[in-house]
Amino acid sequence: QVHVAESGGGSVQAGGSLRLSCAASGSIFSINAMDWYRQAPGKQRELVAGITSGGKTNYVDSVKGRFTLSRDNAKNTVYLQMNSLKPEDTGIYSCYATIRRRVGGPEYFYWGQGTQVTVSS
């Protein structure tokens, strides 16, 4: 079994910062990628940022220069540092992990439960 859990959400004023964490635990051989999605009220879920096992990152244009991904492989954890937050960053942030559970095995995909981020103006 694999469990993926986010933490670090909360409420901040515009211009503030939050750091989200996504931790995977359980039967894990490797984490090939971890992606952050967000869903704003009344909108479709969108990919915000992602990081590969090799450390390559990608960001949606609206967060470039403000959000930064990092990972701690020993802890199977990825961090999303969010600075200069804007009201339009409000939403539920969810982690999506691509994981191999054994050497040479297939990839499996897991969602976390999500964490709420609210940015007030």
Side-chain angles (χ1 to χ4, degrees):
Q1 285 283 37
V2 173
H3 183 61
V4 175
E6 304 93 338
S7 60
S11 297
V12 296
Q13 290 192 327
S17 298
L18 285 172
R19 190 177 80 154
L20 305 184
S21 300
C22 174
S25 60
S27 180
I28 298 170
F29 169 70
S30 64
I31 300 176
N32 291 355
M34 274 189 169
D35 301 314
W36 283 97
Y37 287 77
R38 71 183 173 197
Q39 186 162 21
K43 295 187 177 181
Q44 288 189 326
R45 185 163 54 191
E46 65 169 342
L47 175 62
V48 175
I51 187 167
T52 67
S53 57
K56 183 178 180 181
T57 56
N58 63 278
Y59 303 92
V60 68
D61 286 346
S62 61
V63 307
K64 286 181 180 177
R66 300 189 296 121
F67 289 13
T68 304
L69 278 167
S70 61
R71 62 189 293 165
D72 184 335
N73 290 330
K75 296 182 178 180
N76 287 334
T77 299
V78 166
Y79 304 97
L80 182 65
Q81 178 67 42
M82 305 187 296
N83 298 327
S84 302
L85 283 162
K86 304 176 180 180
E88 51 264 43
D89 293 319
T90 294
I92 298 174
Y93 284 69
S94 300
C95 185
Y96 183 68
T98 303
I99 291 172
R100 288 193 193 278
R101 296 169 60 178
R102 58 180 174 83
V103 177
E107 291 182 330
Y108 293 89
F109 308 94
Y110 300 91
W111 284 100
Q113 81 287 353
T115 186
Q116 177 70 44
V117 171
T118 303
V119 184
S120 57
S121 57

